[in-house]
Amino acid sequence: LYTRFKKLTDDLEHVLKGNLEHWKNFHHAALAYIILCDQFSKVIHRGSSKAYSFDPFAQKMARWILNDTARFKKYRLFERLTIILPLM
């Protein structure tokens, strides 16, 4: 469990450094990026000011996907809801 938690924490640090921007080029990776930034960050940093500090990253990726209708339509319904969630 600790190893997975550490991996997610490391991934969030890579988000801050801009090292995961290439994830947007891959269908499921873009969705994973949103989940990482919008959901996992809140669990990992619960009770801290950092809990919501990754929201702008999730929102940026969500907008990037939404700006291309053809790309957005390739996602299943529940995936589309996950993409839209950070914008609410």
Side-chain angles (χ1 to χ4, degrees):
L1 183 64
Y2 172 78
T3 305
R4 292 177 192 216
F5 183 82
K6 176 74 170 117
K7 172 75 170 115
L8 291 171
T9 304
D10 290 347
D11 285 344
L12 286 171
E13 290 302 316
H14 286 295
V15 167
L16 289 175
K17 295 176 184 176
N19 295 339
L20 300 182
E21 289 294 313
H22 66 282
W23 283 19
K24 71 180 180 184
N25 299 317
F26 304 97
H27 182 81
H28 289 107
L31 185 62
Y33 185 96
I34 291 172
I35 295 168
L36 174 68
C37 294
D38 187 56
Q39 299 298 313
F40 288 142
S41 65
K42 290 174 178 65
V43 172
I44 291 170
H45 296 295
R46 186 178 311 164
S48 160
S49 61
K50 274 185 126 178
Y52 296 92
S53 64
F54 292 88
D55 285 358
F57 296 98
Q59 292 164 356
K60 180 180 174 185
M61 183 68 78
R63 285 189 185 98
W64 184 82
I65 292 170
L66 288 168
N67 282 334
D68 185 338
T69 305
R71 177 182 292 115
F72 182 66
K73 286 184 177 182
K74 290 179 183 176
Y75 289 96
R76 297 178 187 167
L77 178 59
F78 72 93
E79 294 172 327
R80 292 179 191 174
L81 296 172
T82 303
I83 291 165
I84 294 169
L85 190 62
L87 302 174
M88 299 176 135

